[in-house]
Amino acid sequence: MTALLRYQTALLLRSQRWLPPFLLYVVFLGIGVQGGQPLLDSLGWTAAVLLPTAAWLVRICVMGEPPAARTVVAAAAGPARAHLAAVLTALAAAVLLGTVATAVVVFISDPVGADHQRRVPVPEAGAAGFLAALTCALLGTAVGALTASPVLRSTGRAVPALLLGALLALVVSGSPAHAAVTGLVTGSRSATVGLPLLPLAGAVLVTAAAVAAACALTSRRSP
């Protein structure tokens, strides 16, 4: 698996297909995050926009290989393991991006509540923001795995499904991503910090199931 992960990472970096989602994430951060804003609100926005970015990265990694190279790798390592390596590479890239963004937001934001009066503890807020970003990265990975090949092979269906899935993962009340982001925003109003451990656990379970299903389908549809 280590060799597969290195291969997928090198493929992602050399293809430069990571640039569009990276730039889009930076643009959304520039729109929603400014220096001096309440810390928890900014962390909530940072985590939320990471979800569609992670989904896009999954699609890039899963679809990044030429067909001939994909066939060779699948024959050598197994289609399920090759697919899993691509998904894990995308997840790692999203987590890295979210971690850096969270650190920057903690540095430039004002550690106060939404009323700009009450202070919030920076270490706890940073930890909550990181866990929320991790939750959103996991949910984005699940969305990407379920809307990319081999689950959906048609681009005309896959892209709208990805966008709709990312939106629903953020707005549906039962979604772990919604719970994590809402917890940060609500905490900003009361100037309290709560770690989104339960949403993170839910995101792990949902993502594991989604990726396992996609990998199993890859094995079934491979020649």
Side-chain angles (χ1 to χ4, degrees), residues 69-126:
R70 187 180 306 116
T71 301
V72 172
V73 173
R81 285 170 57 85
H83 192 78
L84 177 60
V87 174
L88 290 179
T89 299
L91 174 59
V95 171
L96 177 61
L97 185 59
T99 301
V100 173
T102 298
V104 172
V105 168
V106 169
F107 180 75
I108 68 173
S109 299
D110 193 4
V112 295
D115 57 5
H116 290 270
Q117 300 296 325
R118 292 169 291 180
R119 307 285 293 181
V120 297
V122 174
E124 289 84 349

Side-chain angles (χ1 to χ4, degrees), residues 47 50-51 91 95 99 126-142 169 174-184 194-209:
L50 184 63
L51 195 153
L91 174 59
V95 171
T99 301
F130 170 75
L131 294 180
L134 181 57
T135 300
C136 289
L138 286 166
L139 260 295
T141 300
S175 167
H178 176 81
V181 173
T182 302
L184 290 173
L195 297 179
L197 297 177
L198 188 59
L200 177 60
V204 170
L205 294 177
V206 170
T207 305

Side-chain angles (χ1 to χ4, degrees), residues 13 22 27 38 43 66 70 76 90 108 135 151 171 186 189 213:
L13 293 176
F22 170 78
V27 168
L43 288 174
R70 187 180 306 116
I108 68 173
T135 300
V151 181
V171 301
T186 303
R189 295 171 184 168

